[in-house]
Amino acid sequence: MFPFLYLTLELPKRIINDAIGAATGQVDVFGVTFSQVGLLALLCAAFLTSVLVHGLLKMRINTMKGILSERMLRRLRYTLISRMLRFPKPYFRRTSQGELVAMITGETEPMGGLMGDALTQPVLQAGQMITILVFLFLQSLWFGLAAIALIPLQAWLIPKLQRQINLMNKERIKEVRRLAALIGESAQGASDLRIHGGWRYRLSMISARLGVVFGIRLKIYKKKFFMKFINNFITQLTPFFFFSVGGYLVIQGAVSLGALVAALAAYKDLSSPWKELLAYYNQSQDMSLRWETVVEKFSPGNVIDARLMDGAPAEVPSLAGTVELQDITVTDSDGNPVLENISAQFGKGSVVAVDAPSEEDRQALADVLTREVMPSSGQVVIAGHALAGLHQSVIASRIGHADTRPMLFQGTFGDNTMMPLKQNPQGDVTPEVQAAAQEAAAAGNSADPVEAEWLDPALAGVQDRAEVQAWWLSLLDTMGTGGALYRRSLDQKIDLETRPDLARRLIAARPKVWEAVVAADLARHVHRFDPALYNPALPVIGNLFFATMRRPVTQQELATQTDLFDLMRNLGLEAGLLELSRDVIELLNQIFGTDGTEHPLFRKLGLDPAVFERSVQLLTSRTGTLSDADKAMLMTVPLRISAEQIGPAFSNEMRETILGLRAANGLQFREGLNDLYAPLDAGEIAPGLSVLENALFGKISDSAGARADDLRKLVSEVLEREGLKPEVMALMYDFALASGGSNLPAVFTEPLAISRAIIKQPDVLILDQVLSGYDPKIWREVNARLRALLPQTTMIYLGDGFDNPDQFDAFLEIRQGRMVSADKAAEDADDSAASADLLRKVRALESTTLFSGMGRKQLRLLAFGAKWFSAQAGDVIFNKDDDPRDGAYMILSGAAELFDPGDGQEEKHIAMVGPGTLVGELGLIRNVPRALTMRAETDVEALRLGADEFLAVVENDAATSFKLLQVVAGYTA
């Protein structure tokens, strides 16, 4: 490339000196004689060729640089994401997910360009500079010296000024953030500012802050434009020397005119690569700061070793064996113990219960058993394998874990349930997919094709997909949730292409379904699809065509169907539909308003909030005539919702008109919109309707109430008798889950979590608080069925209390991170003198019912502010009407009497309080004087809880607040 750049500089000089400036009409070049015009043409052609080749090479280099940049950016993002997946679980609890997302997407974006420039920019621009300088020195030593004379000054001065500008930009960003906080606070308190007259002072504060930002920006502008002035002046100073000194040399005959012209052109080209190098330097400095931030955020401690997650192990060993917890200690990020010296051993296939009231204890133990947290000391050994050294694929295949709040990923119900069976791609892929995989590998990404078949039935111990589905159904029946999920499946729609057999069998079952409905006297609660009747459960368009939509269509998409609205206009329905739309929109606006469109009842109508808000604006403004587009948008309301939903506003006259038009031209209307609407036919499946609606060949009335559940149950029983239950339940596979599973009813969240944990038939199954809501008798039955289903699996239940510990093969109690059976005296002896007193207070508090489930940090805070208190029999601990701020009292031993002194009259006994009782908390919460006097009946030992610490715990610990609420409720019972 650089030789061609040199030619683009040298040839113009040759054209001027040798061709245009030739003394004779014949020119001799390297022994070859050319005419003056011929030489001119040849040199011009050579110049054009050099420019073209140089440009093509530069384009190729820039294209490859772009490819390199994108590949490196893709590699960087993939590396950060894959590293993030190896972060320890506690790190995500104290780090914002949004911050990680912003770093991976936003912070790395400018780094991609720099990565492409890292090698090419210095080499390319420096190479161009050197080529141009060589050319200048060859023309004249003075030209070369003039060109480089001021470069050192620029190299020192410009970066120095740029660093000052960068510092001011950082200060500007800080001030803008302070301004944003001030603006947000003003917006939130606008009403208070108006009421209390504080807006002028607030505006003055904002003005002052804007002034600070203005001042910083002004300094930046001055510095930036001064830098540009200096840079431009220095850049133009060199041409001054060229013109003055070079012109003098030309006049003296020391340098040719062509050489001077070429030198000026070359210097002009010299400024571009020099500016690029300066910009590259500034950019690299900025990126180094970004890189330090990214490295800091993505370098937590205890990251899982990459070797334990990369690739796949040679074999996946069985973990069916003894589970050993060998002196496990887990600490939090502050170094405080969460679990201490936990040692236990569970035999192969045993059923274990771990009673841990603290959620923190249960979570820590579950994390240790799944290697989400590495113990600070001790180890977990399963079937002779140290858990710390196992590949993650082994843990994923052999250990199952389920809790009550599983993470559900965007996709389908089946994707989330079958996740453990999708660990490796199966089968062959198309050449296009292979090419994409090769490009991914070139960028350092995973070459596993997402389009491949990932479901591996062998991981569940079965042969094919059908057996996987049968195994899943047996799991649901075992847990007793199959019936509820089956009835939920009735709301799914049928894909005729993928499930033709289900469609055929459902049509055959329709008569039996309706016979059962009639026999149960539930027919009046169903709006059957009858060609002779108007169906109030269908929208206007469905009644006009006697059809349903083939696929879901948004209100905005429906408004673009010009053919449909032209038809409405030609049929004379436009005026009536617009009037109906006005009535409905005004009614909905009265009920919900434009700010209530997120209400579940509004969402049930199926209206688009944005379209509804626009419709309200059109009707309230009432300016001018409506355009066809506005009319179409308004008419989508009655075309989307049914007469039953609209209510009395939908007149009988409108029904009769639509029925008459349907009888006369219904088929013709429908044929024009066959791509959107499917006819209703008792012998066909309507693709836009659910399984339930297809089975009934109608819709359940909104006024059915509890009878709707009876109908749903009746239909499910008939379809089950017809053998359709497995196929209907399989439709839940395709149920689309929103992010976080927000659209999945809570009743199905726990069954999904358990199914995901068990579907792979694990060797060790950890169930954290799941099934805890079951009645004890039902729980025992479910446990027995699970035991029969997984006879070789070691099952570990983590919970807060178990009714009958004897039903388990092993029972372990953990309180505040320590095993109850441990020798507490020996453990306390290991504690340092500095923490001994705090530990005693913690032990005393955790022994009480009220504080037993409190988080460890909150418990330490409460213990830190607590003071030991003792009173002898007969001592008054506090008096009626005393200030409650001295704290609340947790009785540890002895007994005390609460009584009303009666203002000089006879004392009135109220209650006796003993160990584990908290006294005085109500006065603290209400901030009112003591209502009673407390006197020690016997010698009393207690902890006096500081008011500030106690109130902080009540405000921040939901479990303790709830228990305290139960205690207070007992006072009024």
Side-chain angles (χ1 to χ4, degrees):
M1 175 181 173
F2 299 131
F4 289 100
L5 173 61
Y6 185 86
L7 286 176
T8 62
L9 302 173
E10 178 69 21
L11 286 173
K13 184 187 78 170
R14 295 296 179 185
I15 290 172
I16 295 174
N17 290 343
D18 297 345
I20 298 175
T24 63
Q26 300 293 321
V27 182
D28 185 47
V29 179
F30 298 115
V32 180
T33 302
F34 294 91
S35 66
Q36 189 177 13
V37 174
L39 180 60
L40 177 63
L42 178 63
L43 291 176
C44 287
F47 175 74
L48 182 61
T49 302
S50 299
V51 170
L52 179 62
V53 173
H54 176 259
L56 289 173
L57 288 173
K58 194 171 183 179
M59 180 186 73
R60 178 62 177 170
I61 289 173
N62 286 329
T63 302
M64 296 307 296
K65 182 179 72 173
I67 294 173
L68 176 63
S69 297
E70 290 305 314
R71 280 182 175 171
M72 292 300 293
L73 178 59
R74 181 176 177 179
R75 180 188 292 266
L76 174 61
R77 285 174 170 168
Y78 178 83
T79 302
L80 292 177
I81 295 170
S82 60
R83 182 173 179 80
M84 180 186 69
L85 294 178
R86 295 190 286 111
F87 286 175
K89 190 174 181 179
Y91 183 74
F92 293 105
R93 298 181 190 133
R94 62 179 186 270
T95 303
S96 167
Q97 297 177 12
E99 189 177 358
L100 294 176
V101 171
M103 285 201 167
I104 294 174
T105 55
E107 292 290 335
T108 60
E109 183 71 29
M111 292 183 184
L114 183 64
M115 283 184 248
D117 291 340
L119 179 62
T120 58
Q121 195 76 335
V123 172
L124 180 62
Q125 304 303 333
Q128 291 187 74
M129 279 192 67
I130 292 171
T131 302
I132 294 170
L133 289 173
V134 168
F135 173 78
L136 291 173
F137 273 105
L138 289 177
Q139 308 313 305
S140 170
L141 175 64
W142 297 109
F143 285 173
L145 291 175
I148 66 172
L150 298 176
I151 288 179
L153 177 61
Q154 286 178 296
W156 171 77
L157 183 60
I158 301 303
K160 184 176 182 180
L161 293 174
Q162 185 62 51
R163 282 194 293 271
Q164 294 177 9
I165 293 173
N166 290 342
L167 290 174
M168 286 188 284
N169 271 321
K170 289 182 180 179
E171 185 63 28
R172 176 184 61 82
I173 292 172
K174 291 179 182 178
E175 290 299 331
V176 170
R177 287 175 179 170
R178 295 189 184 106
L179 175 63
L182 193 61
I183 293 171
E185 188 180 45
S186 300
Q188 186 177 3
S191 176
D192 293 275
L193 290 173
R194 291 193 298 267
I195 293 171
H196 302 296
W199 71 88
R200 289 191 63 180
Y201 180 69
R202 174 63 56 159
L203 288 174
S204 176
M205 292 174 63
I206 292 175
S207 177
R209 186 66 64 190
L210 288 170
V212 173
V213 175
F214 171 78
I216 295 174
R217 283 183 176 275
L218 188 60
K219 290 179 182 178
I220 292 174
Y221 286 142
K222 289 180 178 179
K223 188 75 70 174
K224 181 169 67 174
F225 290 118
F226 174 73
M227 181 185 71
K228 286 188 175 182
F229 163 74
I230 292 294
N231 192 38
N232 290 334
F233 177 75
I234 294 174
T235 302
Q236 295 301 320
L237 197 59
T238 302
F240 164 77
F241 291 117
F242 275 114
F243 284 120
S244 57
V245 178
Y248 175 78
L249 293 174
V250 171
I251 293 172
Q252 294 297 318
V255 176
S256 67
L257 177 61
L260 177 60
V261 173
L264 286 169
Y267 180 75
K268 184 179 179 182
D269 291 338
L270 180 68
S271 62
S272 178
W274 175 235
K275 287 181 179 178
E276 291 289 339
L277 285 174
L278 288 175
Y280 170 75
Y281 169 80
N282 292 329
Q283 187 183 16
S284 63
Q285 292 300 307
D286 181 49
M287 290 303 106
S288 65
L289 296 176
R290 289 175 181 262
W291 179 249
E292 289 175 4
T293 303
V294 171
V295 169
E296 180 183 359
K297 185 59 65 176
F298 281 79
S299 301
N302 297 323
V303 176
I304 299 174
D305 192 334
R307 292 173 298 178
L308 299 180
M309 289 192 68
D310 293 343
E315 64 171 333
V316 178
S318 171
L319 297 185
T322 302
V323 178
E324 299 177 66
L325 304 178
Q326 299 179 355
D327 201 24
I328 297 294
T329 295
V330 176
T331 57
D332 60 17
S333 58
D334 300 323
N336 296 310
V338 179
L339 295 178
E340 298 181 69
N341 309 116
I342 303 296
S343 296
Q345 184 171 309
F346 314 128
K348 173 183 176 181
S350 58
V351 180
V352 181
V354 178
D355 182 4
S358 170
E359 182 181 359
E360 193 174 5
D361 292 344
R362 295 193 301 270
Q363 193 171 65
L365 186 57
D367 289 345
V368 166
L369 289 170
T370 53
R371 206 182 62 190
E372 285 300 300
V373 168
M374 294 296 293
S376 54
S377 65
Q379 66 173 343
V380 179
V381 178
I382 304 178
H385 301 278
L387 194 64
L390 290 175
H391 194 278
Q392 191 65 38
S393 296
V394 179
I395 296 175
S397 300
R398 302 303 189 194
I399 299 178
H401 172 259
D403 59 21
T404 56
R405 297 188 298 273
M407 175 62 196
L408 302 182
F409 297 89
Q410 196 166 4
T412 66
F413 191 94
D415 292 336
N416 279 271
T417 303
M418 300 300 165
M419 185 186 295
L421 307 185
K422 295 182 177 182
Q423 298 189 25
N424 296 290
Q426 312 290 314
D428 299 326
V429 293
T430 63
E432 291 80 5
V433 173
Q434 289 179 349
Q438 291 173 358
E439 174 60 31
N445 288 196
S446 169
D448 294 334
V450 70
E451 296 87 353
E453 174 57 61
W454 281 77
L455 187 68
D456 184 4
L459 292 175
V462 296
Q463 299 298 319
D464 53 34
R465 277 180 170 270
E467 292 187 16
V468 170
Q469 181 177 332
W471 166 237
W472 175 60
L473 293 176
S474 67
L475 288 181
L476 295 175
D477 289 337
T478 296
M479 292 180 287
T481 56
L485 197 62
Y486 169 45
R487 286 188 288 276
R488 180 64 179 81
S489 302
L490 295 176
D491 294 328
Q492 296 300 104
K493 295 179 174 60
I494 303 173
D495 187 338
L496 297 178
E497 293 183 3
T498 59
R499 304 186 186 276
D501 186 59
L502 174 59
R504 178 183 55 79
R505 297 178 63 189
L506 187 60
I507 293 170
R510 270 179 182 169
K512 296 180 181 179
V513 170
W514 189 244
E515 287 176 10
V517 169
V518 172
D521 195 25
L522 295 173
R524 65 182 183 276
H525 301 296
V526 179
H527 296 301
R528 289 271 283 179
F529 300 131
D530 189 335
L533 300 175
Y534 189 94
N535 194 307
L538 286 177
V540 169
I541 197 70
N543 275 284
L544 182 63
F545 295 163
F546 195 61
T548 61
M549 287 192 169
R550 293 184 180 274
R551 58 180 177 83
V553 177
T554 65
Q555 199 172 352
Q556 291 180 339
E557 185 181 355
L558 185 61
T560 63
Q561 302 296 319
T562 56
D563 292 344
L564 174 63
F565 294 103
D566 288 342
L567 177 62
M568 298 293 106
R569 195 174 297 111
N570 294 334
L571 293 174
L573 293 174
E574 183 180 81
L577 288 176
L578 285 174
E579 186 62 33
L580 181 61
S581 298
R582 289 189 181 94
D583 293 342
V584 173
I585 291 171
E586 288 175 357
L587 177 64
L588 294 178
N589 191 35
Q590 291 175 13
I591 298 172
F592 299 102
T594 55
D595 58 349
T597 53
E598 293 302 315
H599 195 281
L601 292 178
F602 184 89
R603 291 202 302 266
K604 187 179 179 181
L605 296 174
L607 297 180
D608 184 287
V611 175
F612 175 71
E613 290 176 19
R614 173 63 180 153
S615 301
V616 171
Q617 291 174 1
L618 284 175
L619 295 181
T620 53
S621 62
R622 300 183 184 277
T623 57
T625 58
L626 295 173
S627 65
D628 288 344
D630 290 338
K631 290 178 181 178
M633 184 176 63
L634 290 174
M635 285 191 289
T636 57
V637 174
L639 297 185
R640 287 284 293 183
I641 60 180
S642 66
E644 193 172 36
Q645 291 172 313
I646 293 173
F650 199 93
S651 65
N652 289 328
E653 182 183 356
M654 177 67 75
R655 299 185 190 212
E656 295 300 327
T657 301
I658 292 172
L659 280 177
L661 290 170
R662 182 170 78 191
N665 302 294
L667 180 61
Q668 179 184 346
F669 298 157
R670 194 169 60 226
E671 286 176 351
L673 295 164
N674 262 342
D675 57 330
L676 275 180
Y677 292 92
L680 287 168
D681 187 334
E684 299 290 340
I685 287 292
L689 299 180
S690 67
V691 173
L692 177 65
E693 291 164 343
N694 268 294
L696 291 169
F697 195 60
K699 285 179 172 282
I700 298 177
S701 170
D702 285 346
S703 61
R707 302 289 76 77
D709 294 332
D710 295 339
L711 279 165
R712 185 180 294 271
K713 182 179 179 182
L714 180 65
V715 172
S716 66
E717 291 172 351
V718 174
L719 296 184
E720 185 173 4
R721 286 198 299 269
E722 295 299 310
L724 290 174
K725 180 179 178 180
E727 292 184 71
V728 172
M729 287 192 68
L731 295 176
M732 278 301 293
Y733 267 50
D734 302 324
F735 178 71
L737 294 182
S739 180
S742 57
N743 61 333
L744 184 69
V747 68
F748 301 124
T749 301
E750 189 172 292
L752 191 154
I754 299 175
S755 298
R756 188 161 64 186
I758 300 179
I759 195 73
K760 57 193 174 186
Q761 299 199 36
D763 295 326
V764 178
L765 178 62
I766 303 159
L767 300 174
D768 185 1
Q769 283 286 88
V770 297
L771 308 177
S772 59
Y774 285 29
D775 178 82
K777 181 180 178 182
I778 297 176
W779 188 93
R780 286 192 292 270
E781 293 174 356
V782 171
N783 179 50
R785 291 197 296 266
L786 279 176
R787 177 76 280 173
L789 199 65
L790 302 168
Q792 302 300 316
T793 298
T794 301
M795 302 173 64
I796 302 175
Y797 289 92
L798 306 179
D800 179 10
F802 293 89
D803 291 336
N804 184 14
D806 295 336
Q807 65 185 310
F808 300 99
D809 300 319
F811 182 73
L812 183 67
E813 288 185 84
I814 296 179
R815 295 293 183 273
Q816 294 301 324
R818 297 192 178 192
M819 294 174 61
V820 171
S821 57
D823 184 357
K824 292 186 178 179
E827 290 172 353
D828 291 346
D830 293 336
D831 293 314
S832 65
S835 62
D837 184 64
L838 180 66
L839 185 61
R840 286 180 58 216
K841 293 176 182 177
V842 169
R843 292 285 177 262
L845 290 171
E846 70 185 8
S847 64
T848 65
T849 303
L850 182 61
F851 298 118
S852 61
M854 183 184 292
R856 197 158 281 104
K857 286 187 177 180
Q858 295 286 354
L859 197 60
R860 283 196 293 268
L861 172 64
L862 194 61
F864 180 75
K867 304 296 182 183
W868 295 108
F869 178 87
S870 60
Q872 296 180 355
D875 289 349
V876 174
I877 299 174
F878 59 74
N879 288 303
K880 182 181 179 180
D881 296 326
D882 280 355
D883 189 337
R885 300 297 297 179
D886 70 318
Y889 293 83
M890 174 60 72
I891 307 297
L892 302 178
S893 65
E897 180 188 14
L898 290 171
F899 65 91
D900 186 348
D903 296 330
Q905 302 176 8
E906 185 179 350
E907 297 178 354
K908 182 179 179 181
H909 173 79
I910 302 298
M912 294 291 294
V913 292
T917 305
L918 183 65
V919 183
E921 77 286 357
L922 200 55
L924 276 180
I925 296 172
R926 298 179 58 207
N927 195 24
V928 296
R930 305 284 189 189
L932 300 171
T933 297
M934 182 165 73
R935 181 172 55 209
E937 186 72 13
T938 65
D939 290 348
V940 170
E941 292 290 332
L943 272 176
R944 186 171 62 195
L945 308 181
D948 293 337
E949 291 81 1
F950 177 76
L951 292 175
V953 167
V954 172
E955 291 172 1
N956 295 292
D957 192 279
T960 301
S961 299
F962 180 71
K963 287 184 179 179
L964 188 60
L965 183 63
Q966 291 176 315
V967 172
V968 173
Y971 297 157
T972 59

